[in-house]
Amino acid sequence: MSDVALTRKVKRLYRSDVRRARRLLHGHTRKTPVFHTDIQGPRGPVPVTLKLEHLQHGGTFKVRGCLNALLQAREDNSSVVLASGGNAGIAAALASALRGKSCTVVVPESAPHTKVAAMWSHGAEVLWHGTTYAEAHRYARELAVERGAMQLHAYDQPAVVAGAGVVGLEIEEQVRGRPPVLVAVGGGGLVAGIAIALGLRGRVIGVEPQGAPTLHAALAAGHPVEVDVSSVASDALGASRIGDIAMEVAKRYQVRSLLVSDDDIVMAREYLWREFRIVVEPAGATAVAAIQSGAYVPAAGERPVIVLCGANTDLATL
C-alpha cells in the first residue's frame, strides 16, 4: 500500500483553533519574550529576532500543545499515555500534573537521561520500548487501549498543533511587520501551528537537520514519506515521518524547508552559549544554524524571527 493510501483524513485547523487554544492556556503557560539582536552569518552580522520559547515551562514549547489537549478533552480519563523521544514526554508529564492526572511516557532506548530525569521530576512513569520513536509510539498506542487511558501524540494531534500555534500569535504581537519565521522541524507540530496562526500573510520556513529531513522529503514527494534519522538533534527532531497535519498545512500555506548539517547545528548551539549565555539543546539551535551557515540569506532590510524551541540538554556537553 502506498504512503498516500496510508495517510489518514486530516482535520483542517484554522487561526480560530489557535485563538481558542490561547484563551484556554491563558494563565497556565508563559508568554515568552523576544530578543532583538545580530548573529554572525557568512557575510557578517545579520539582524534577527530570537523568540525565547526555550524559557517556556518545562523548557519546551510542547507544554502548550499537551496542556491544550488536556484542557479540551471531553473524556474523563484519569491517566495519559504518550510516546516521546524527550520533550513531549516532559511536557505531557507537566501538563498531566497540572490537571491531576497520572502520566506514562514510552521512550525509545536512545532517550537522553537528562530528559527522562525531567519526566520523573514531574511524576511520570517512564517505560522504555524499542530503538526508535515509531516503535515507542506503536507500543504507547497499545498501552493506552489496554489501560483505557487518553493518548496524546507528540506532534500530530489537532489540539497539540493548535496549542503550539500560540507561539505564532505571540510573535505577531511582539514583532512589527511580517518577517519570515524560521522554525526547527521534527514531526512538524510547531511549524504547522505557527503557519496556521500567521496564515497566508505569514512566511514560515522549516529548518531541518540533513540527517532528519522529514518535511523536505515529504515536500519533494508530495506526501509524507519515511526517512532515515541520524542527527545530533534526533532526540528532539527524531520523527521519521512528517505528521499528516503538518503536511496539509505546509501545502496550504506554502511552508518551505531548508537543510543544515550537524556541524552547523553544533556551531550554532555553541555560538548562542558563547555570545549570549543562552543554553539550548541542538534542536533549539537548528533554526539559528540556517542563518549562520547561509542556508537562509535574509533580503535587504529583513529581520527574520528565529524560534529557540527547547532547552532540555546536558550542560556538560557545553
Side-chain angles (χ1 to χ4, degrees):
M1 188 179 290
S2 70
D3 286 295
V4 176
L6 287 170
T7 301
R8 59 183 173 80
K9 186 175 181 180
V10 177
K11 177 185 184 298
R12 273 205 170 196
L13 295 173
Y14 298 94
R15 182 178 167 91
S16 58
D17 296 298
V18 182
R19 291 173 66 88
R20 180 190 178 202
R22 180 169 61 177
R23 290 193 298 271
L24 288 174
L25 293 172
H26 181 71
H28 298 291
T29 56
R30 292 174 179 146
K31 182 176 182 178
T32 53
V34 295
F35 174 37
H36 306 293
T37 187
D38 293 343
I39 62 175
Q40 194 65 32
R43 300 173 186 83
V46 177
V48 301
T49 297
L50 302 179
K51 173 63 169 168
L52 306 182
E53 184 61 16
H54 68 295
L55 299 178
Q56 188 54 257
H57 295 298
T60 172
F61 75 93
K62 287 180 178 287
V63 73
R64 298 178 186 262
C66 288
L67 187 53
N68 186 50
L70 294 185
L71 290 169
Q72 288 194 30
R74 295 178 180 176
E75 62 267 33
D76 189 27
N77 301 91
S78 61
S79 59
V80 172
V81 174
L82 171 118
S84 171
N87 284 337
I90 296 170
L94 178 56
S96 297
L98 289 172
R99 299 296 293 162
K101 298 177 182 291
S102 65
C103 179
T104 299
V105 184
V106 182
V107 300
E109 294 167 4
S110 58
H113 178 74
T114 303
K115 294 187 177 184
V116 171
M119 297 174 207
W120 282 332
S121 74
H122 294 300
E125 174 192 24
V126 181
L127 303 177
W128 282 262
H129 186 88
T131 58
T132 65
Y133 167 78
E135 291 173 336
H137 176 65
R138 283 193 291 270
Y139 182 66
R141 189 168 54 210
E142 295 170 2
L143 193 64
V145 173
E146 178 185 315
R147 294 184 176 182
M150 176 182 179
Q151 185 182 7
L152 290 179
H153 196 289
Y155 55 84
D156 201 23
Q157 187 171 342
V160 169
V161 174
V166 178
V167 175
L169 296 181
E170 291 180 4
I171 290 171
E172 190 176 55
E173 295 172 348
Q174 294 168 317
V175 180
R176 293 181 179 178
R178 293 194 174 272
V181 181
L182 276 62
V183 188
V185 178
L190 181 59
V191 74
I194 292 176
I196 293 164
L198 299 181
L200 289 172
R201 294 176 296 172
R203 286 179 291 159
V204 180
I205 300 160
V207 184
E208 304 178 86
Q210 291 173 352
T214 55
L215 178 59
H216 200 84
L219 291 174
H223 55 84
V225 295
E226 294 286 334
V227 300
D228 293 327
V229 176
S230 177
S231 169
V232 68
S234 61
D235 65 318
L237 308 180
S240 61
R241 173 187 171 106
I242 198 72
D244 291 334
I245 295 174
M247 185 73 230
E248 186 276 325
V249 171
K251 288 182 176 179
R252 195 185 349 155
Y253 294 116
Q254 300 175 356
V255 177
R256 295 169 51 196
S257 167
L258 302 174
L259 300 181
V260 293
S261 71
D262 275 2
D263 285 346
D264 294 333
I265 294 170
V266 170
M267 288 177 62
R269 180 171 177 258
E270 292 175 350
Y271 177 83
L272 287 170
W273 168 246
R274 185 175 66 251
E275 295 297 322
F276 305 112
R277 288 300 186 260
I278 290 176
V279 178
V280 293
E281 59 195 280
T286 296
V288 174
I291 298 290
Q292 284 205 298
S293 68
Y296 183 81
V297 179
E302 184 179 86
R303 180 187 286 272
V305 177
I306 302 173
V307 181
L308 306 185
C309 55
N312 293 300
T313 189
D314 183 354
L315 292 176
T317 62
L318 283 169

